[in-house]
Amino acid sequence: MEHTPAPYGPRAVYGYAMYIGSNMLFLLYMIWAIIPDKMLHDYLGLTYWPSKYWAIAIPIWALTALTTFAFLIYPAINMLITPDIDDIRTITDKYALQNVETTPGGIPTVSDIPITEVCRRLYLRKK
């Protein structure tokens, strides 16, 4: 079978099952987090549940981990894999599109910007 993101029978069934399962888990989580332990024990006969502390702590820890990843780890990984300015991978090749002069005030053509021009505009101070 070809790997495609298009919907087909088994993928639809698995997606629906995951949708129903996640909603059921969320419902159980909300019941556990909101209903007092005494009511759970008296009416449902459930005698052991984790502490209510975890109903708040786990989502906060997960959001903290996600935020740390999004604002610190992910940008750091991207900076680590970016080649240096003098790396051979930053030099243009025969497939690069050279900048062609256009009429003043016109829309420039699609072209690659040389790394020296990018650095000049970004980092050199204008006098």
Side-chain angles (χ1 to χ4, degrees), residues 39-54:
M39 288 182 66
L40 290 173
H41 178 63
D42 292 344
Y43 295 112
L44 298 176
L46 301 172
T47 58
Y48 176 75
W49 285 86
S51 172
K52 299 287 182 169
Y53 164 81
W54 297 108

PDB file of all heavy atoms in Angstrom, residues 39-54:
ATOM      1  N   MET A  39     -17.507  11.447  47.622  1.00  0.00           N
ATOM      2  CA  MET A  39     -18.587  11.070  46.704  1.00  0.00           C
ATOM      3  C   MET A  39     -18.169   9.898  45.818  1.00  0.00           C
ATOM      4  O   MET A  39     -18.969   9.012  45.537  1.00  0.00           O
ATOM      5  CB  MET A  39     -19.000  12.267  45.842  1.00  0.00           C
ATOM      6  CG  MET A  39     -19.766  13.333  46.604  1.00  0.00           C
ATOM      7  SD  MET A  39     -20.287  14.685  45.544  1.00  0.00           S
ATOM      8  CE  MET A  39     -21.443  13.855  44.479  1.00  0.00           C
ATOM      9  N   LEU A  40     -16.914   9.891  45.381  1.00  0.00           N
ATOM     10  CA  LEU A  40     -16.439   8.771  44.569  1.00  0.00           C
ATOM     11  C   LEU A  40     -16.494   7.468  45.351  1.00  0.00           C
ATOM     12  O   LEU A  40     -16.834   6.417  44.801  1.00  0.00           O
ATOM     13  CB  LEU A  40     -15.009   9.041  44.081  1.00  0.00           C
ATOM     14  CG  LEU A  40     -14.834  10.133  43.037  1.00  0.00           C
ATOM     15  CD1 LEU A  40     -13.363  10.387  42.794  1.00  0.00           C
ATOM     16  CD2 LEU A  40     -15.527   9.746  41.747  1.00  0.00           C
ATOM     17  N   HIS A  41     -16.166   7.544  46.645  1.00  0.00           N
ATOM     18  CA  HIS A  41     -16.163   6.343  47.480  1.00  0.00           C
ATOM     19  C   HIS A  41     -17.586   5.912  47.822  1.00  0.00           C
ATOM     20  O   HIS A  41     -17.921   4.726  47.722  1.00  0.00           O
ATOM     21  CB  HIS A  41     -15.353   6.590  48.757  1.00  0.00           C
ATOM     22  CG  HIS A  41     -15.336   5.418  49.684  1.00  0.00           C
ATOM     23  ND1 HIS A  41     -14.772   4.215  49.335  1.00  0.00           N
ATOM     24  CD2 HIS A  41     -15.820   5.252  50.935  1.00  0.00           C
ATOM     25  CE1 HIS A  41     -14.908   3.362  50.332  1.00  0.00           C
ATOM     26  NE2 HIS A  41     -15.546   3.971  51.324  1.00  0.00           N
ATOM     27  N   ASP A  42     -18.447   6.854  48.228  1.00  0.00           N
ATOM     28  CA  ASP A  42     -19.793   6.491  48.682  1.00  0.00           C
ATOM     29  C   ASP A  42     -20.703   6.048  47.541  1.00  0.00           C
ATOM     30  O   ASP A  42     -21.427   5.057  47.675  1.00  0.00           O
ATOM     31  CB  ASP A  42     -20.438   7.670  49.419  1.00  0.00           C
ATOM     32  CG  ASP A  42     -19.744   7.968  50.746  1.00  0.00           C
ATOM     33  OD1 ASP A  42     -18.987   7.091  51.232  1.00  0.00           O
ATOM     34  OD2 ASP A  42     -19.955   9.081  51.284  1.00  0.00           O
ATOM     35  N   TYR A  43     -20.700   6.766  46.427  1.00  0.00           N
ATOM     36  CA  TYR A  43     -21.663   6.486  45.363  1.00  0.00           C
ATOM     37  C   TYR A  43     -21.146   5.515  44.308  1.00  0.00           C
ATOM     38  O   TYR A  43     -21.914   4.747  43.739  1.00  0.00           O
ATOM     39  CB  TYR A  43     -22.097   7.792  44.691  1.00  0.00           C
ATOM     40  CG  TYR A  43     -22.848   8.699  45.629  1.00  0.00           C
ATOM     41  CD1 TYR A  43     -22.281   9.902  46.043  1.00  0.00           C
ATOM     42  CD2 TYR A  43     -24.097   8.353  46.119  1.00  0.00           C
ATOM     43  CE1 TYR A  43     -22.956  10.735  46.911  1.00  0.00           C
ATOM     44  CE2 TYR A  43     -24.773   9.179  46.993  1.00  0.00           C
ATOM     45  CZ  TYR A  43     -24.203  10.369  47.394  1.00  0.00           C
ATOM     46  OH  TYR A  43     -24.868  11.194  48.258  1.00  0.00           O
ATOM     47  N   LEU A  44     -19.880   5.560  44.019  1.00  0.00           N
ATOM     48  CA  LEU A  44     -19.323   4.684  42.982  1.00  0.00           C
ATOM     49  C   LEU A  44     -18.536   3.511  43.550  1.00  0.00           C
ATOM     50  O   LEU A  44     -18.178   2.600  42.812  1.00  0.00           O
ATOM     51  CB  LEU A  44     -18.425   5.502  42.039  1.00  0.00           C
ATOM     52  CG  LEU A  44     -19.125   6.626  41.268  1.00  0.00           C
ATOM     53  CD1 LEU A  44     -18.116   7.407  40.453  1.00  0.00           C
ATOM     54  CD2 LEU A  44     -20.210   6.061  40.378  1.00  0.00           C
ATOM     55  N   GLY A  45     -18.235   3.540  44.838  1.00  0.00           N
ATOM     56  CA  GLY A  45     -17.503   2.456  45.465  1.00  0.00           C
ATOM     57  C   GLY A  45     -16.020   2.434  45.124  1.00  0.00           C
ATOM     58  O   GLY A  45     -15.355   1.426  45.315  1.00  0.00           O
ATOM     59  N   LEU A  46     -15.497   3.539  44.623  1.00  0.00           N
ATOM     60  CA  LEU A  46     -14.077   3.612  44.266  1.00  0.00           C
ATOM     61  C   LEU A  46     -13.298   4.066  45.490  1.00  0.00           C
ATOM     62  O   LEU A  46     -13.530   5.145  46.021  1.00  0.00           O
ATOM     63  CB  LEU A  46     -13.879   4.579  43.109  1.00  0.00           C
ATOM     64  CG  LEU A  46     -14.650   4.214  41.835  1.00  0.00           C
ATOM     65  CD1 LEU A  46     -14.553   5.328  40.816  1.00  0.00           C
ATOM     66  CD2 LEU A  46     -14.138   2.921  41.257  1.00  0.00           C
ATOM     67  N   THR A  47     -12.380   3.221  45.930  1.00  0.00           N
ATOM     68  CA  THR A  47     -11.673   3.516  47.178  1.00  0.00           C
ATOM     69  C   THR A  47     -10.284   4.095  46.963  1.00  0.00           C
ATOM     70  O   THR A  47      -9.736   4.721  47.851  1.00  0.00           O
ATOM     71  CB  THR A  47     -11.543   2.243  48.032  1.00  0.00           C
ATOM     72  OG1 THR A  47     -10.853   1.257  47.264  1.00  0.00           O
ATOM     73  CG2 THR A  47     -12.911   1.734  48.432  1.00  0.00           C
ATOM     74  N   TYR A  48      -9.686   3.860  45.806  1.00  0.00           N
ATOM     75  CA  TYR A  48      -8.338   4.384  45.593  1.00  0.00           C
ATOM     76  C   TYR A  48      -8.295   5.211  44.323  1.00  0.00           C
ATOM     77  O   TYR A  48      -8.632   4.743  43.246  1.00  0.00           O
ATOM     78  CB  TYR A  48      -7.298   3.275  45.490  1.00  0.00           C
ATOM     79  CG  TYR A  48      -5.947   3.845  45.172  1.00  0.00           C
ATOM     80  CD1 TYR A  48      -5.217   4.492  46.152  1.00  0.00           C
ATOM     81  CD2 TYR A  48      -5.421   3.806  43.884  1.00  0.00           C
ATOM     82  CE1 TYR A  48      -3.995   5.064  45.868  1.00  0.00           C
ATOM     83  CE2 TYR A  48      -4.208   4.376  43.591  1.00  0.00           C
ATOM     84  CZ  TYR A  48      -3.505   5.003  44.590  1.00  0.00           C
ATOM     85  OH  TYR A  48      -2.309   5.572  44.297  1.00  0.00           O
ATOM     86  N   TRP A  49      -7.867   6.429  44.485  1.00  0.00           N
ATOM     87  CA  TRP A  49      -7.574   7.333  43.379  1.00  0.00           C
ATOM     88  C   TRP A  49      -6.293   8.060  43.742  1.00  0.00           C
ATOM     89  O   TRP A  49      -6.006   8.275  44.910  1.00  0.00           O
ATOM     90  CB  TRP A  49      -8.690   8.366  43.204  1.00  0.00           C
ATOM     91  CG  TRP A  49      -9.936   7.817  42.584  1.00  0.00           C
ATOM     92  CD1 TRP A  49     -10.944   7.205  43.239  1.00  0.00           C
ATOM     93  CD2 TRP A  49     -10.279   7.814  41.212  1.00  0.00           C
ATOM     94  NE1 TRP A  49     -11.913   6.825  42.360  1.00  0.00           N
ATOM     95  CE2 TRP A  49     -11.531   7.197  41.100  1.00  0.00           C
ATOM     96  CE3 TRP A  49      -9.667   8.286  40.056  1.00  0.00           C
ATOM     97  CZ2 TRP A  49     -12.165   7.023  39.892  1.00  0.00           C
ATOM     98  CZ3 TRP A  49     -10.319   8.117  38.858  1.00  0.00           C
ATOM     99  CH2 TRP A  49     -11.546   7.492  38.767  1.00  0.00           C
ATOM    100  N   PRO A  50      -5.506   8.451  42.750  1.00  0.00           N
ATOM    101  CA  PRO A  50      -4.327   9.262  43.077  1.00  0.00           C
ATOM    102  C   PRO A  50      -4.747  10.590  43.706  1.00  0.00           C
ATOM    103  O   PRO A  50      -5.883  11.028  43.575  1.00  0.00           O
ATOM    104  CB  PRO A  50      -3.660   9.483  41.718  1.00  0.00           C
ATOM    105  CG  PRO A  50      -4.187   8.411  40.842  1.00  0.00           C
ATOM    106  CD  PRO A  50      -5.556   8.094  41.341  1.00  0.00           C
ATOM    107  N   SER A  51      -3.801  11.217  44.362  1.00  0.00           N
ATOM    108  CA  SER A  51      -4.062  12.492  45.019  1.00  0.00           C
ATOM    109  C   SER A  51      -4.523  13.538  44.011  1.00  0.00           C
ATOM    110  O   SER A  51      -4.104  13.542  42.858  1.00  0.00           O
ATOM    111  CB  SER A  51      -2.785  12.968  45.716  1.00  0.00           C
ATOM    112  OG  SER A  51      -2.947  14.266  46.206  1.00  0.00           O
ATOM    113  N   LYS A  52      -5.393  14.441  44.458  1.00  0.00           N
ATOM    114  CA  LYS A  52      -5.892  15.509  43.582  1.00  0.00           C
ATOM    115  C   LYS A  52      -4.772  16.471  43.173  1.00  0.00           C
ATOM    116  O   LYS A  52      -4.906  17.208  42.201  1.00  0.00           O
ATOM    117  CB  LYS A  52      -7.006  16.306  44.284  1.00  0.00           C
ATOM    118  CG  LYS A  52      -8.196  15.487  44.658  1.00  0.00           C
ATOM    119  CD  LYS A  52      -9.015  15.114  43.469  1.00  0.00           C
ATOM    120  CE  LYS A  52     -10.230  14.325  43.959  1.00  0.00           C
ATOM    121  NZ  LYS A  52     -11.204  14.123  42.966  1.00  0.00           N
ATOM    122  N   TYR A  53      -3.672  16.455  43.909  1.00  0.00           N
ATOM    123  CA  TYR A  53      -2.511  17.271  43.551  1.00  0.00           C
ATOM    124  C   TYR A  53      -2.078  16.985  42.116  1.00  0.00           C
ATOM    125  O   TYR A  53      -1.717  17.894  41.369  1.00  0.00           O
ATOM    126  CB  TYR A  53      -1.367  16.970  44.529  1.00  0.00           C
ATOM    127  CG  TYR A  53      -0.015  17.437  44.065  1.00  0.00           C
ATOM    128  CD1 TYR A  53       0.361  18.762  44.215  1.00  0.00           C
ATOM    129  CD2 TYR A  53       0.887  16.557  43.471  1.00  0.00           C
ATOM    130  CE1 TYR A  53       1.605  19.198  43.789  1.00  0.00           C
ATOM    131  CE2 TYR A  53       2.119  16.977  43.037  1.00  0.00           C
ATOM    132  CZ  TYR A  53       2.479  18.302  43.194  1.00  0.00           C
ATOM    133  OH  TYR A  53       3.695  18.719  42.763  1.00  0.00           O
ATOM    134  N   TRP A  54      -2.125  15.699  41.712  1.00  0.00           N
ATOM    135  CA  TRP A  54      -1.661  15.312  40.389  1.00  0.00           C
ATOM    136  C   TRP A  54      -2.595  15.792  39.278  1.00  0.00           C
ATOM    137  O   TRP A  54      -2.181  15.894  38.123  1.00  0.00           O
ATOM    138  CB  TRP A  54      -1.465  13.803  40.304  1.00  0.00           C
ATOM    139  CG  TRP A  54      -0.401  13.358  41.239  1.00  0.00           C
ATOM    140  CD1 TRP A  54      -0.554  12.659  42.394  1.00  0.00           C
ATOM    141  CD2 TRP A  54       0.984  13.636  41.120  1.00  0.00           C
ATOM    142  NE1 TRP A  54       0.648  12.480  43.004  1.00  0.00           N
ATOM    143  CE2 TRP A  54       1.616  13.062  42.244  1.00  0.00           C
ATOM    144  CE3 TRP A  54       1.769  14.302  40.192  1.00  0.00           C
ATOM    145  CZ2 TRP A  54       2.989  13.152  42.446  1.00  0.00           C
ATOM    146  CZ3 TRP A  54       3.132  14.384  40.400  1.00  0.00           C
ATOM    147  CH2 TRP A  54       3.720  13.817  41.515  1.00  0.00           C
TER     148      TRP A  54
END
